Amino acid sequence: MPTEPTTRRRVAFIFPIYNEEGNIELLQRTVDEVTAPLAGKYDFSFIYVDDGSKDGSLAALTGLSARDGRITVIELSRNFGHQMAVTAGLDLVDADAAIIMDSDLQDPPRVALELIEKWEEGFDVVYAQRRSRQDSPFKRLTASAFYWFLGKMAAVDIPKNTGDFRLVDRKVVDELRKYRERDRFLRGLVSYIGFKQTAVLFDRDKRHTGATGYPLTKMMRFAADGIVGFSTTPLRMITRMGYLFSLLSFLGVLYVIGVKLFEPETAVPGWAFITIAMFFLGGVQIIMLGVLGSYIGRTYSQVQNRPLYSVASVRTGANEAAEDSRSTVR
Ligand code: UDP
Ligand code: MG
């Protein structure tokens, strides 16, 4: 039986869905149109992850998959949140590259083509970076404050103005699957994993219909996952504060001794002792919190149980074809 040439690479789209009934049809139609010219070159497939939608999303998805064999629908048992929905898609996907995209058409499907182009140039992660966005001034302000803060704190460089809209090569997907921490900040993990990464600039559109699934509370929790998941700086700050307070206390103690020696008549009996004890204990307590903090920080990163490293390739002297980028040494 004649088979397709084996060079056809498989590209899968992953769409997290939470109450997107008004967007699903249009989304699928648009990605279909956009990818149609490349259909001879790639095998496209589409994974929709229904994250416990309360509207007709699931029915719409089931309808879609009944018509099109390239569509897979994963139904989560309840709402687990965007990051978990994408994770479920990544765990299930079987393709040479996965494109993660929002389902409200804020991430324009045509940009996916540019992601694929860069992937063909040899990049393993191609993230779509917003040149502009149509969100409310509030969202823009909080987002830019968040990225500024994250840049200051995080141990890895997490690119600014990027969401989860990106293409990841299969080997990055394989690595991501090893990261099982519960409080997930996928874009941080992707940066953390490394490999060859690049950006494609795009203008982010408005949500097509429906309401955001990221109200302020969820957004703040997500921001905390980003900062706390990639940095123990807040804990280390306690120690610095402890030193600062101890220094101030030391000055305070000198002052109290000075008053006691040179102007004893202004001091209330017992004042010197109480004040010195207060300064001293305050400083010591904060330093001790810092010590606890540094152990908690280490315990935390151990508990996250991340793989220690990812191997991009292993080459042995004589073996020219040894660029097996998927080998992993545990
Ligand atoms: N989403 C999800 N689960 C949630 C919230 C959102 O799967 O609990 C999906 C949603 O359907 C969309 C993407 O995540 O495809 C981004 O969400 P949204 O557009 O609501 O966020 P915003 O763009 O407002 O930040
Ligand atoms: Mg959106």
Side-chain angles (χ1 to χ4, degrees), residues 102 104 106 204 207:
D102 281 2
D104 53 1
Q106 279 198 290
R204 189 162 159 94
R207 161 176 272 282

Side-chain angles (χ1 to χ4, degrees), residues 43-77:
D43 279 332
F44 288 106
S45 58
F46 309 93
I47 299 180
Y48 286 87
V49 185
D50 177 54
D51 183 20
S53 295
K54 292 171 178 62
D55 63 356
S57 293
L58 185 61
L61 291 176
T62 327
L64 272 191
S65 71
R67 295 204 306 263
D68 190 336
R70 301 168 305 163
I71 296 177
T72 308
V73 179
I74 306 174
E75 179 193 356
L76 298 188
S77 57

Side-chain angles (χ1 to χ4, degrees), residues 244-257 279-280:
L244 181 71
F245 273 79
S246 296
L247 181 73
L248 293 178
S249 308
F250 181 69
L251 297 179
V253 168
L254 288 185
Y255 168 74
V256 171
I257 293 175
F279 279 141
F280 178 70

Side-chain angles (χ1 to χ4, degrees), residues 16 18 20 51 79 82 103-104 106 139 207 212-213 218:
Y18 180 61
E20 305 281 11
D51 183 20
N79 178 245
H82 173 217
S103 316
D104 53 1
Q106 279 198 290
K139 178 117 185 176
R207 161 176 272 282
T212 174
K218 255 193 195 171

Side-chain angles (χ1 to χ4, degrees), residues 3-21:
T3 45
E4 301 270 63
T6 47
T7 49
R8 271 168 81 97
R9 298 172 93 189
R10 293 167 304 156
V11 177
F13 284 78
I14 298 177
F15 299 116
I17 298 281
Y18 180 61
N19 299 343
E20 305 281 11
E21 66 179 343

Side-chain angles (χ1 to χ4, degrees), residues 5 17 54 97 110-111 143 158-159 164 171 225 261 298 318 328:
I17 298 281
K54 292 171 178 62
R110 65 196 134 72
V111 177
I158 299 172
D164 288 311
K171 55 187 177 247
D225 286 342
L261 288 182
R298 282 172 168 74
T328 321

